[in-house]
């Protein structure tokens, strides 16, 4: 499969730069808005590294490849980037895509710092070649389950599409909630139209519905159906995967998209670095930056420090994960071996459950922290 060329100016052939390969979903069916935020963070950090003298005098460059949420396309991009001589890989938002990229990076001996994907089993076997910034799905989604229980929800329906990511999320919720008196009712969205979801919610006496489905569809249609069914006026809709984080959600759904709690990986207060980066990202994006943009920035901040300290040799980069101690936008970043996680993991960035304020949908309310 052909991979599109990187944006103008992203590659240099004279050998003077230190190159990082960036995997980013920029086109459908990838979540383009998430990809744009991720890329904005990556690019801002590269610019700042170069303004400060680069990597021991050599400019740092991104070689960007659009994964379009396609695992095969990502695998081809990893092969290509490895052949181009990049020192390391960065990025990716979609968990299923990141899993394929991580497997290829591991097989090729190419260091990969995954920015945003949360699937616990990012690789089948433990590897030293891959590290991750985002909290593992089991960590974040258990915090979300605590929020549900604290809000009084014990009969929780999940509208789910088939994928490793959604199945993993449903299993985490079920395993965590069952011993605590919660019941998870799975609704197979291959078999149900959005309007039929409403009947299932009524029949099962669910008090909460979680969207374990793609964005914008069928998520938006499910929300509209539930919001406009008078029988379900009291039901809480939730989206642990974070769909309401992005402006596209509010544009699509308006008032219907408010009061839908989701997971966000930001601290209560950003560090001074985080505040400065927030300002720069707002200018770059012409919008409030999502947590994904901060993940992009932090990815390059870590890799730049590793490259300065250990050089661009791939094996030395992979050997350095355990020694990383970098001040990121959301706290000090260190990697460790975490039980059940196959890659080097930052354990943990802050986790919040937030929603859009119905009175002011551009404003986020923090409902729970973990």
């Amino acid at each position: 499969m052909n991979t599109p060329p990187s944006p103008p100016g992203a590659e240099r052939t004279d050998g003077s730069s230190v190159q990082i390969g960036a995997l980013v979903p920029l086109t459908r069916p990838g979540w383009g808005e998430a990809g744009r935020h991720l890329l904005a963070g990556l690019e801002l950090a590269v610019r700042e590294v170069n303004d400060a003298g680069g990597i021991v005098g050599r400019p740092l460059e991104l070689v960007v490849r659009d994964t379009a949420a396609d695992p095969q396309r990502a695998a081809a991009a990893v092969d290509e980037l490895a052949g181009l001589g990049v020192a390391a890989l960065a990025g990716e938002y979609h968990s299923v895509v990141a899993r394929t990229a991580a497997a290829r990076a591991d097989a090729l001996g190419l260091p990969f710092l995954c920015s945003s994907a949360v699937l616990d089993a990012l690789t089948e076997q433990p590897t030293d070649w891959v590290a991750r910034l985002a909290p593992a799905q089991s960590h974040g989604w258990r915090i979300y389950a605590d929020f549900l229980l604290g809000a009084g929800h014990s009969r929780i329906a999940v509208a789910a599409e088939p994928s490793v990511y959604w199945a993993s999320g449903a299993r985490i919720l079920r395993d965590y909630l069952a011993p605590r008196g919660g019941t998870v009712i799975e609704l197979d969205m291959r078999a149900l139209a959005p309007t039929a979801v409403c009947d299932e919610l009524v029949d099962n006496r669910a008090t909460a519905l979680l969207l374990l489905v793609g964005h914008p569809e069928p998520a938006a249609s499910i929300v509209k159906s539930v919001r406009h069914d008078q029988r379900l006026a009291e039901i809480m809709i939730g989206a642990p995967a974070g769909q309401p984080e992005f402006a596209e959600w509010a544009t699509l759904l308006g008032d219907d998209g408010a009061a839908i709690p989701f997971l966000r990986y930001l601290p209560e207060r950003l560090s001074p670095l985080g505040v400065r980066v927030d300002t720069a990202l707002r200018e770059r994006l012409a919008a409030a930056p999502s947590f994904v943009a901060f993940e992009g920035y932090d990815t390059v901040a870590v890799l730049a420090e590793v490259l300065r300290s250990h050089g661009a040799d791939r094996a030395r980069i992979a050997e350095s994960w355990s020694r990383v101690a970098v001040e990121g936008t959301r706290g000090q970043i260190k990697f460790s071996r975490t039980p059940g996680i196959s890659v080097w993991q930052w354990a943990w960035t802050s986790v919040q459950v937030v929603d859009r304020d119905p009175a002011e949908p551009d404003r986020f309310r923090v409902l729970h922290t973990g």
Side-chain angles (χ1 to χ4, degrees):
M1 182 173 293
N2 290 329
T3 307
S6 58
E11 292 180 47
R12 193 186 278 185
T13 56
D14 60 9
S16 67
S17 62
V18 180
Q19 294 183 327
I20 294 173
L23 304 175
V24 188
L26 295 172
T27 54
R28 294 283 182 207
W31 194 346
E33 192 172 9
R36 288 191 297 277
H37 279 240
L38 179 58
L39 184 58
L42 293 166
E43 289 179 336
L44 174 64
V46 167
R47 189 186 76 191
E48 292 187 358
V49 167
N50 288 333
D51 286 348
I55 306 299
V56 196
R58 297 171 66 192
L60 186 62
E61 292 195 23
L62 282 184
V63 185
V64 181
R65 292 295 180 265
D66 173 19
T67 62
D70 182 333
Q72 282 66 47
R73 187 159 160 171
V78 174
D79 289 347
E80 182 205 1
L81 291 165
L84 287 173
V86 300
L89 286 178
E92 195 45 54
Y93 175 80
H94 295 285
S95 279
V96 175
V97 178
R99 188 175 64 154
T100 297
R104 283 306 294 156
D106 181 48
L108 295 169
L110 180 59
F112 176 27
L113 180 50
C114 183
S115 304
S116 296
V118 299
L119 200 63
D120 281 44
L122 205 55
T123 55
E124 292 296 326
Q125 302 295 329
T127 176
D128 286 325
W129 291 102
V130 184
R132 172 168 55 190
L133 287 178
Q137 189 178 21
S138 58
H139 178 72
W141 287 46
R142 285 171 190 153
I143 291 169
Y144 195 91
D146 275 333
F147 159 73
L148 292 172
L149 292 171
H153 298 290
S154 59
R155 293 187 64 77
I156 297 147
V158 296
E161 289 183 311
S163 92
V164 172
Y165 175 66
W166 299 126
S168 170
R171 184 172 61 252
I172 291 162
L173 293 168
R174 193 185 315 108
D175 292 349
Y176 191 81
L177 290 167
R180 295 164 176 80
T183 301
V184 173
I185 303 137
E186 288 200 48
L187 308 179
D188 184 352
M189 293 313 299
R190 289 173 299 183
L192 292 173
T195 48
V197 170
C198 298
D199 295 332
E200 292 286 337
L201 295 173
V202 172
D203 292 346
N204 284 288
R205 306 189 317 285
T207 65
L209 168 67
L210 305 186
L211 303 170
L212 275 56
V213 294
H215 167 87
E217 291 298 339
S221 293
I222 295 170
V223 170
K224 289 174 183 173
S225 294
V226 172
R227 288 287 200 229
H228 295 272
D229 190 315
Q230 293 182 343
R231 299 172 297 171
L232 300 171
E234 300 300 315
I235 201 163
M236 187 207 88
I237 306 175
Q243 295 95 321
E245 167 80 0
F246 296 96
E248 184 183 8
W249 178 267
T251 303
L252 272 173
L253 286 163
D255 292 345
D256 287 342
I260 296 180
F262 63 94
L263 285 167
R264 181 170 72 165
Y265 308 127
L266 288 176
E268 190 174 352
R269 287 185 183 81
L270 290 167
S271 69
L273 171 64
V275 171
R276 181 177 65 70
V277 169
D278 177 80
T279 301
L281 285 169
R282 282 174 191 272
E283 189 175 321
R284 185 171 279 258
L285 289 162
S290 68
F291 66 84
V292 178
F294 290 100
E295 288 173 332
Y297 183 95
D298 287 342
T299 302
V300 170
V302 168
L303 287 175
E305 182 58 35
V306 168
L307 289 164
R308 288 188 199 103
S309 302
H310 303 281
D313 178 79
R314 291 171 177 177
R316 291 187 66 191
I317 292 169
E319 288 164 5
S320 74
W321 299 132
S322 64
R323 300 192 292 279
V324 165
V326 173
E327 200 57 42
T329 58
R330 298 161 298 148
Q332 191 180 56
I333 298 167
K334 293 183 174 183
F335 298 110
S336 60
R337 285 298 188 185
T338 305
I341 310 299
S342 59
V343 302
W344 285 96
Q345 175 71 53
W346 180 20
W348 304 97
T349 182
S350 301
V351 177
Q352 300 174 330
V353 180
V354 305
D355 70 359
R356 289 180 176 272
D357 187 343
E360 196 182 332
D362 285 341
R363 192 177 82 85
F364 293 107
R365 304 183 296 186
V366 178
L367 308 174
H368 182 77
T369 56

